[in-house]
């Protein structure tokens, strides 16, 4: 999925929530205002990158701060515009709470796991191979944990599974599929 607005070519994928909000705003004739908010985000990103990356103690983390700003500012401004224009309630917190909890659990488990796996592999393999294998296994573990916690918190249900391509759902372990289907059955 590519972003509707090719303003920043280095970011081919936009957040699905930003794309959704942009599409709604475009449909109600507010595309230029939404685009100006993205421009504000880009300007702030450039200012932050220019001023913060040069700080010796921060360096490349300043670019991370700039990217977060580039994402958050247009998201919040466009969400406020959408709520104001449609006179409706749209809580980004409610939408993102369960994925955020899943991501936190994933990070808490994956970070130390990757470190331990790296140290273990490093006893037998070169540093490069140890890093490669431990990172690959950490990504697989992280994917499993994220989807599992999302299923536990009912952040994903059977209807969501049906919207996914079958090639993806075939990769989801049966224990997680059973949890998703069970929670969907209970809530209906």
């Amino acid at each position: 999925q590519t972003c509707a607005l090719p303003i920043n070519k280095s970011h081919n994928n936009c957040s699905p929530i930003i794309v959704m909000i942009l599409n709604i705003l475009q449909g109600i004739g507010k595309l230029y205002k939404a685009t100006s908010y993205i421009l504000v985000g880009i300007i702030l990103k450039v200012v932050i990158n220019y001023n913060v990356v040069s700080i010796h103690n921060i360096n490349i983390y300043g670019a991370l701060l700039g990217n977060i700003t580039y994402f958050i500012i247009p998201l919040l401004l466009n969400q406020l515009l959408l709520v104001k224009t449609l006179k409706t309630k749209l809580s980004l917190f409610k939408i993102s709470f369960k994925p955020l909890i899943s991501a936190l659990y994933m990070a808490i488990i994956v970070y130390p796991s990757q470190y331990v796996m790296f140290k273990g592999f490093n006893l037998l393999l070169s540093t490069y191979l140890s890093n490669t294998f431990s990172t690959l296994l950490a990504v697989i573990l992280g994917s499993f944990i994220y989807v599992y916690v999302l299923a536990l918190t009912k952040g994903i249900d059977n209807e969501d599974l049906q919207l996914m391509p079958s090639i993806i759902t075939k990769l989801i372990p049966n224990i997680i599929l059973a949890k998703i289907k069970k929670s969907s059955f209970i809530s209906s």
Side-chain angles (χ1 to χ4, degrees), residues 18 37-38 40-49 52 62-77:
I18 291 177
Y37 292 155
I38 291 174
V40 168
I42 290 171
I43 291 168
L44 286 173
K45 175 184 175 175
V46 169
V47 168
I48 289 171
N49 283 350
V52 178
L64 177 64
L65 181 63
N67 283 340
I68 290 170
T69 302
Y70 166 70
F71 174 79
I72 295 291
I73 296 298
L75 175 67
L76 293 176
L77 292 174

Side-chain angles (χ1 to χ4, degrees), residues 20-38:
M20 177 189 70
I21 290 173
L22 283 173
N23 287 335
I24 293 169
L25 289 171
Q26 180 180 7
I28 59 175
K30 300 288 184 181
L31 181 62
Y32 292 115
K33 202 163 208 175
T35 304
S36 68
Y37 292 155
I38 291 174

Side-chain angles (χ1 to χ4, degrees), residues 30-158:
K30 300 288 184 181
L31 181 62
Y32 292 115
K33 202 163 208 175
T35 304
S36 68
Y37 292 155
I38 291 174
L39 186 60
V40 168
I42 290 171
I43 291 168
L44 286 173
K45 175 184 175 175
V46 169
V47 168
I48 289 171
N49 283 350
Y50 183 78
N51 291 307
V52 178
V53 171
S54 63
I55 298 172
H56 179 69
N57 292 336
I58 298 175
N59 286 335
I60 195 68
Y61 295 110
L64 177 64
L65 181 63
N67 283 340
I68 290 170
T69 302
Y70 166 70
F71 174 79
I72 295 291
I73 296 298
L75 175 67
L76 293 176
L77 292 174
N78 284 330
Q79 191 260 349
L80 290 172
L81 177 63
L82 185 64
V83 168
K84 180 181 169 188
T85 303
L86 296 179
K87 295 176 180 50
T88 185
K89 291 183 180 180
L90 176 66
S91 172
L92 288 177
F93 179 75
K94 285 183 181 178
I95 293 170
S96 59
F97 181 71
K98 291 175 183 178
L100 180 63
I101 293 297
S102 298
L104 287 173
Y105 270 96
M106 178 186 69
I108 288 168
I109 295 170
V110 166
Y111 185 74
S113 299
Q114 194 273 343
Y115 179 79
V116 169
M117 286 186 284
F118 172 77
K119 290 296 186 185
F121 282 131
N122 210 21
L123 295 173
L124 306 170
L125 304 169
S126 69
T127 302
Y128 176 78
L129 287 175
S130 299
N131 193 36
T132 301
F133 288 135
S134 62
T135 302
L136 180 64
L137 289 174
V139 167
I140 293 168
L141 176 65
S143 301
F144 176 83
I145 291 167
Y146 181 81
V147 175
Y148 188 72
V149 174
L150 206 55
L152 286 176
T153 60
K154 298 178 182 145
I156 187 170
D157 59 18
N158 209 20

Side-chain angles (χ1 to χ4, degrees), residues 149-173:
V149 174
L150 206 55
L152 286 176
T153 60
K154 298 178 182 145
I156 187 170
D157 59 18
N158 209 20
E159 185 178 322
D160 295 324
L161 284 178
Q162 292 171 353
L163 295 173
M164 292 181 191
S166 62
I167 194 166
I168 300 293
T169 56
K170 288 178 185 174
L171 295 174
I172 300 173

Side-chain angles (χ1 to χ4, degrees), residues 165-184:
S166 62
I167 194 166
I168 300 293
T169 56
K170 288 178 185 174
L171 295 174
I172 300 173
N174 289 334
I175 189 169
I176 296 176
L177 288 174
K179 190 71 180 161
I180 292 170
K181 290 176 181 175
K182 180 181 175 187
S183 67
S184 295

